[in-house]
Amino acid sequence: MNWKKATLLSIPTAALVGLSVLGSKMYRYGFQRVDAPRIPDTDNPDYLAAFEPVKDWFSQQAKEDWWLYTDDPKNKIHALYLPNPTPTDKTVVIAHGYHGNGQSMIAYAKIFQDLGFNILLPDNRAHGESAGEWINFGWLDRLDYRDWCLELVDRLGCDSEIILFGVSMGGAIVMMMSGEELPVQVQGIIEDCGYSTLHEQLAYRAKVEFKLPAFPVIPIASLINRALLGFGVNDVNSLQALQQNTRPIFFIHGADDQYVPTKMCYQNFDATSAPKEMWIVPNADHGESLAVNPNEYQHRIAEFLRRFDL
């Protein structure tokens, strides 16, 4: 083999090696645990304006620490339970987003308490007080949240009524839960700006943030994830789960979402034949629908719950 042929072969080989290294670095960047502050870590004034008034409210609430899998330290999962001051059988389970924690969702919790619900605020795996070193983007979390629902029924009784609510990655969690066999007490789902599939979301972020191609970066990250967590990127799929959904579901998404593209909301909406509603919120970026129009946000949720007698 002459030097010209060797050079021609070495160029794509070096490129592939370079992309493989980038894929590994991207995996660590995107999937490794990052403990976030107890309040939203943002400079967005609208978001902070929506969050600030509820901090005092939250500090005054009765709270209980709940745990799952206490005999398994590597999988121990934490949640905060806030009973409604007026006894009720209705509970909302609120799923937080990427790099968040249960307490970062208290602005939403206040809405549901005002609507007469008890509140359960889990910390996802590799977030908050829950165990885990690698973020699973909702695929394992969906089963933890199913077990939280079973725990609620055990503690509060068979007459319990449960609503699932989630934002961003939390939105994907509750959508993926819809494809599971859930307790009959789970009666409705509300998701805000969740992604349709993890592959599409990672491909979009790789292009926007790093100018990287989906191949081979995402397949490499998927192989690493399968070795560490037991599943591939393509398994994390809201669309497939929604095809099995039978419960009323409300989709919310910001019209100007630059993180999870708004088109994903339409994909999610089209994926389910269950009773459904959708609200695309004008002028809202990712996770900002509540901040942009808090009164309308609460009104829309209340109307959805009323319409389906939830």
Side-chain angles (χ1 to χ4, degrees), residues 8-46:
L8 289 173
L9 287 174
S10 66
I11 291 173
T13 300
L16 184 61
V17 170
L19 286 171
S20 298
V21 171
L22 284 173
S24 178
K25 288 184 176 180
M26 180 179 172
Y27 180 83
R28 184 172 294 277
Y29 173 82
F31 287 70
Q32 192 167 35
R33 179 182 188 126
V34 176
D35 286 313
R38 293 295 182 184
I39 61 173
D41 184 17
T42 178
D43 294 327
N44 184 292
D46 290 332

Short mmCIF file of all heavy atoms in Angstrom, two decimals, residues 8-46:
data_model
loop_
_atom_site.label_atom_id
_atom_site.label_comp_id
_atom_site.label_asym_id
_atom_site.label_seq_id
_atom_site.Cartn_x
_atom_site.Cartn_y
_atom_site.Cartn_z
N LEU A 8 -5.44 8.25 2.27
CA LEU A 8 -6.87 8.28 1.98
C LEU A 8 -7.66 7.44 2.98
O LEU A 8 -8.79 7.78 3.35
CB LEU A 8 -7.12 7.77 0.55
CG LEU A 8 -6.68 8.72 -0.57
CD1 LEU A 8 -6.83 8.04 -1.92
CD2 LEU A 8 -7.47 10.01 -0.53
N LEU A 9 -7.10 6.33 3.42
CA LEU A 9 -7.76 5.49 4.42
C LEU A 9 -7.70 6.09 5.81
O LEU A 9 -8.62 5.96 6.61
CB LEU A 9 -7.13 4.09 4.43
CG LEU A 9 -7.44 3.19 3.24
CD1 LEU A 9 -6.63 1.91 3.32
CD2 LEU A 9 -8.94 2.86 3.20
N SER A 10 -6.61 6.77 6.11
CA SER A 10 -6.44 7.29 7.47
C SER A 10 -7.34 8.47 7.75
O SER A 10 -7.74 8.70 8.90
CB SER A 10 -4.97 7.71 7.69
OG SER A 10 -4.63 8.81 6.86
N ILE A 11 -7.72 9.22 6.71
CA ILE A 11 -8.56 10.39 6.93
C ILE A 11 -9.93 10.01 7.48
O ILE A 11 -10.35 10.51 8.54
CB ILE A 11 -8.68 11.23 5.65
CG1 ILE A 11 -7.33 11.87 5.33
CG2 ILE A 11 -9.76 12.31 5.80
CD1 ILE A 11 -7.30 12.58 3.98
N PRO A 12 -10.70 9.10 6.82
CA PRO A 12 -11.99 8.72 7.41
C PRO A 12 -11.85 7.99 8.74
O PRO A 12 -12.71 8.12 9.62
CB PRO A 12 -12.62 7.82 6.35
CG PRO A 12 -11.50 7.36 5.49
CD PRO A 12 -10.49 8.47 5.51
N THR A 13 -10.76 7.22 8.89
CA THR A 13 -10.55 6.52 10.16
C THR A 13 -10.36 7.53 11.28
O THR A 13 -10.95 7.40 12.37
CB THR A 13 -9.32 5.59 10.06
OG1 THR A 13 -9.54 4.64 9.03
CG2 THR A 13 -9.09 4.88 11.38
N ALA A 14 -9.54 8.54 11.05
CA ALA A 14 -9.32 9.57 12.06
C ALA A 14 -10.59 10.33 12.37
O ALA A 14 -10.89 10.66 13.53
CB ALA A 14 -8.22 10.53 11.59
N ALA A 15 -11.38 10.57 11.30
CA ALA A 15 -12.64 11.29 11.52
C ALA A 15 -13.59 10.46 12.38
O ALA A 15 -14.26 10.99 13.28
CB ALA A 15 -13.29 11.62 10.18
N LEU A 16 -13.65 9.14 12.10
CA LEU A 16 -14.52 8.27 12.87
C LEU A 16 -14.08 8.19 14.33
O LEU A 16 -14.91 8.24 15.25
CB LEU A 16 -14.55 6.87 12.25
CG LEU A 16 -15.50 5.86 12.89
CD1 LEU A 16 -16.93 6.36 12.78
CD2 LEU A 16 -15.35 4.50 12.22
N VAL A 17 -12.76 8.09 14.54
CA VAL A 17 -12.24 8.07 15.91
C VAL A 17 -12.58 9.37 16.62
O VAL A 17 -13.01 9.38 17.78
CB VAL A 17 -10.72 7.81 15.90
CG1 VAL A 17 -10.15 8.03 17.30
CG2 VAL A 17 -10.42 6.41 15.42
N GLY A 18 -12.40 10.48 15.91
CA GLY A 18 -12.71 11.78 16.52
C GLY A 18 -14.17 11.90 16.90
O GLY A 18 -14.50 12.37 18.00
N LEU A 19 -15.05 11.44 16.01
CA LEU A 19 -16.48 11.49 16.32
C LEU A 19 -16.84 10.55 17.46
O LEU A 19 -17.73 10.83 18.26
CB LEU A 19 -17.30 11.17 15.07
CG LEU A 19 -17.36 12.27 14.02
CD1 LEU A 19 -18.00 11.75 12.74
CD2 LEU A 19 -18.12 13.48 14.54
N SER A 20 -16.14 9.42 17.54
CA SER A 20 -16.38 8.49 18.64
C SER A 20 -16.01 9.13 19.98
O SER A 20 -16.74 8.98 20.97
CB SER A 20 -15.56 7.20 18.43
OG SER A 20 -15.96 6.54 17.26
N VAL A 21 -14.89 9.82 20.01
CA VAL A 21 -14.49 10.52 21.22
C VAL A 21 -15.51 11.59 21.57
O VAL A 21 -15.91 11.74 22.74
CB VAL A 21 -13.09 11.15 21.06
CG1 VAL A 21 -12.76 12.05 22.24
CG2 VAL A 21 -12.04 10.06 20.90
N LEU A 22 -15.99 12.31 20.56
CA LEU A 22 -17.00 13.33 20.79
C LEU A 22 -18.30 12.71 21.30
O LEU A 22 -18.97 13.27 22.18
CB LEU A 22 -17.27 14.11 19.51
CG LEU A 22 -16.23 15.15 19.11
CD1 LEU A 22 -16.56 15.72 17.74
CD2 LEU A 22 -16.14 16.26 20.15
N GLY A 23 -18.65 11.52 20.76
CA GLY A 23 -19.85 10.83 21.23
C GLY A 23 -19.75 10.46 22.69
O GLY A 23 -20.72 10.61 23.45
N SER A 24 -18.58 10.01 23.10
CA SER A 24 -18.37 9.66 24.51
C SER A 24 -18.44 10.89 25.40
O SER A 24 -19.06 10.87 26.47
CB SER A 24 -17.00 8.98 24.67
OG SER A 24 -16.74 8.68 26.02
N LYS A 25 -17.84 11.98 24.94
CA LYS A 25 -17.88 13.22 25.71
C LYS A 25 -19.30 13.78 25.78
O LYS A 25 -19.73 14.29 26.82
CB LYS A 25 -16.93 14.26 25.10
CG LYS A 25 -15.45 13.95 25.30
CD LYS A 25 -14.58 15.06 24.76
CE LYS A 25 -13.10 14.79 25.05
NZ LYS A 25 -12.23 15.86 24.51
N MET A 26 -20.02 13.66 24.67
CA MET A 26 -21.40 14.14 24.66
C MET A 26 -22.25 13.33 25.63
O MET A 26 -23.11 13.88 26.31
CB MET A 26 -21.98 14.04 23.25
CG MET A 26 -23.41 14.52 23.14
SD MET A 26 -24.06 14.41 21.46
CE MET A 26 -25.79 14.79 21.77
N TYR A 27 -21.99 12.03 25.69
CA TYR A 27 -22.75 11.20 26.64
C TYR A 27 -22.52 11.69 28.06
O TYR A 27 -23.46 11.88 28.83
CB TYR A 27 -22.36 9.73 26.53
CG TYR A 27 -23.15 8.88 27.50
CD1 TYR A 27 -24.42 8.43 27.17
CD2 TYR A 27 -22.64 8.56 28.76
CE1 TYR A 27 -25.17 7.69 28.06
CE2 TYR A 27 -23.39 7.82 29.66
CZ TYR A 27 -24.65 7.39 29.30
OH TYR A 27 -25.39 6.67 30.20
N ARG A 28 -21.26 11.87 28.42
CA ARG A 28 -20.97 12.33 29.78
C ARG A 28 -21.57 13.72 30.04
O ARG A 28 -22.13 13.97 31.11
CB ARG A 28 -19.45 12.36 30.01
CG ARG A 28 -19.03 12.73 31.43
CD ARG A 28 -17.55 12.53 31.62
NE ARG A 28 -17.18 11.13 31.53
CZ ARG A 28 -17.27 10.27 32.54
NH1 ARG A 28 -17.72 10.68 33.72
NH2 ARG A 28 -16.92 9.03 32.40
N TYR A 29 -21.49 14.58 29.05
CA TYR A 29 -22.04 15.93 29.18
C TYR A 29 -23.55 15.89 29.40
O TYR A 29 -24.10 16.62 30.23
CB TYR A 29 -21.70 16.74 27.93
CG TYR A 29 -22.37 18.10 27.87
CD1 TYR A 29 -21.83 19.19 28.54
CD2 TYR A 29 -23.54 18.28 27.13
CE1 TYR A 29 -22.45 20.44 28.47
CE2 TYR A 29 -24.15 19.52 27.05
CZ TYR A 29 -23.60 20.60 27.72
OH TYR A 29 -24.22 21.82 27.66
N GLY A 30 -24.24 15.04 28.66
CA GLY A 30 -25.70 15.04 28.69
C GLY A 30 -26.33 14.12 29.72
O GLY A 30 -27.44 14.39 30.19
N PHE A 31 -25.63 13.04 30.09
CA PHE A 31 -26.25 12.01 30.91
C PHE A 31 -25.75 11.98 32.35
O PHE A 31 -26.40 11.37 33.21
CB PHE A 31 -26.02 10.63 30.28
CG PHE A 31 -26.83 10.36 29.05
CD1 PHE A 31 -26.57 11.02 27.85
CD2 PHE A 31 -27.85 9.42 29.06
CE1 PHE A 31 -27.31 10.76 26.70
CE2 PHE A 31 -28.59 9.14 27.92
CZ PHE A 31 -28.32 9.82 26.74
N GLN A 32 -24.61 12.58 32.63
CA GLN A 32 -24.07 12.50 33.98
C GLN A 32 -24.85 13.38 34.94
O GLN A 32 -25.31 14.46 34.58
CB GLN A 32 -22.59 12.90 34.00
CG GLN A 32 -21.90 12.57 35.31
CD GLN A 32 -20.39 12.67 35.20
OE1 GLN A 32 -19.87 13.52 34.48
NE2 GLN A 32 -19.67 11.81 35.89
N ARG A 33 -24.98 12.91 36.16
CA ARG A 33 -25.72 13.64 37.18
C ARG A 33 -25.11 15.02 37.42
O ARG A 33 -23.89 15.18 37.50
CB ARG A 33 -25.68 12.83 38.48
CG ARG A 33 -26.39 13.52 39.65
CD ARG A 33 -26.27 12.69 40.92
NE ARG A 33 -27.11 13.27 41.96
CZ ARG A 33 -28.03 12.59 42.64
NH1 ARG A 33 -28.23 11.31 42.40
NH2 ARG A 33 -28.77 13.19 43.55
N VAL A 34 -25.98 16.02 37.54
CA VAL A 34 -25.59 17.38 37.93
C VAL A 34 -26.59 17.84 38.96
O VAL A 34 -27.76 18.06 38.65
CB VAL A 34 -25.58 18.35 36.72
CG1 VAL A 34 -25.28 19.77 37.20
CG2 VAL A 34 -24.59 17.90 35.67
N ASP A 35 -26.17 17.97 40.20
CA ASP A 35 -27.10 18.37 41.25
C ASP A 35 -27.40 19.85 41.13
O ASP A 35 -26.52 20.70 41.13
CB ASP A 35 -26.52 18.05 42.63
CG ASP A 35 -26.57 16.55 42.91
OD1 ASP A 35 -27.63 15.95 42.67
OD2 ASP A 35 -25.56 15.99 43.36
N ALA A 36 -28.69 20.15 41.04
CA ALA A 36 -29.17 21.51 40.82
C ALA A 36 -29.57 22.16 42.13
O ALA A 36 -29.80 21.47 43.13
CB ALA A 36 -30.37 21.48 39.86
N PRO A 37 -29.67 23.47 42.15
CA PRO A 37 -30.16 24.15 43.35
C PRO A 37 -31.62 23.81 43.60
O PRO A 37 -32.32 23.31 42.72
CB PRO A 37 -29.99 25.64 43.01
CG PRO A 37 -29.99 25.68 41.52
CD PRO A 37 -29.34 24.41 41.07
N ARG A 38 -32.08 24.10 44.81
CA ARG A 38 -33.46 23.79 45.18
C ARG A 38 -34.47 24.71 44.51
O ARG A 38 -35.65 24.42 44.49
CB ARG A 38 -33.63 23.89 46.70
CG ARG A 38 -32.87 22.83 47.45
CD ARG A 38 -33.39 21.44 47.14
NE ARG A 38 -32.68 20.43 47.90
CZ ARG A 38 -32.86 19.14 47.76
NH1 ARG A 38 -33.73 18.70 46.88
NH2 ARG A 38 -32.18 18.27 48.48
N ILE A 39 -34.02 25.81 43.97
CA ILE A 39 -34.91 26.71 43.25
C ILE A 39 -34.46 26.75 41.80
O ILE A 39 -33.33 26.38 41.48
CB ILE A 39 -34.91 28.13 43.85
CG1 ILE A 39 -33.51 28.75 43.77
CG2 ILE A 39 -35.40 28.11 45.30
CD1 ILE A 39 -33.47 30.20 44.17
N PRO A 40 -35.29 27.18 40.88
CA PRO A 40 -34.88 27.21 39.48
C PRO A 40 -33.61 28.02 39.27
O PRO A 40 -33.50 29.14 39.74
CB PRO A 40 -36.08 27.85 38.79
CG PRO A 40 -37.24 27.56 39.68
CD PRO A 40 -36.68 27.59 41.08
N ASP A 41 -32.67 27.45 38.54
CA ASP A 41 -31.40 28.12 38.25
C ASP A 41 -31.55 28.85 36.91
O ASP A 41 -31.19 28.34 35.86
CB ASP A 41 -30.28 27.08 38.18
CG ASP A 41 -28.93 27.72 37.98
OD1 ASP A 41 -28.81 28.93 38.21
OD2 ASP A 41 -27.99 27.00 37.58
N THR A 42 -32.10 30.04 36.94
CA THR A 42 -32.37 30.78 35.73
C THR A 42 -32.31 32.27 36.02
O THR A 42 -32.57 32.71 37.13
CB THR A 42 -33.75 30.42 35.15
OG1 THR A 42 -33.99 31.21 33.99
CG2 THR A 42 -34.86 30.66 36.16
N ASP A 43 -31.98 33.04 35.00
CA ASP A 43 -32.02 34.50 35.10
C ASP A 43 -33.26 35.07 34.43
O ASP A 43 -33.42 36.28 34.36
CB ASP A 43 -30.77 35.10 34.44
CG ASP A 43 -29.50 34.74 35.20
OD1 ASP A 43 -29.57 34.63 36.43
OD2 ASP A 43 -28.46 34.56 34.55
N ASN A 44 -34.11 34.18 33.91
CA ASN A 44 -35.30 34.65 33.20
C ASN A 44 -36.23 35.37 34.17
O ASN A 44 -36.74 34.77 35.11
CB ASN A 44 -36.02 33.47 32.55
CG ASN A 44 -37.21 33.93 31.73
OD1 ASN A 44 -38.20 34.41 32.25
ND2 ASN A 44 -37.11 33.74 30.43
N PRO A 45 -36.48 36.67 33.98
CA PRO A 45 -37.27 37.43 34.96
C PRO A 45 -38.72 36.97 35.03
O PRO A 45 -39.32 37.00 36.10
CB PRO A 45 -37.16 38.87 34.46
CG PRO A 45 -36.81 38.76 33.02
CD PRO A 45 -35.98 37.52 32.88
N ASP A 46 -39.30 36.55 33.90
CA ASP A 46 -40.68 36.07 33.92
C ASP A 46 -40.81 34.80 34.74
O ASP A 46 -41.75 34.64 35.53
CB ASP A 46 -41.18 35.82 32.49
CG ASP A 46 -41.37 37.12 31.70
OD1 ASP A 46 -41.63 38.16 32.35
OD2 ASP A 46 -41.27 37.08 30.47
#
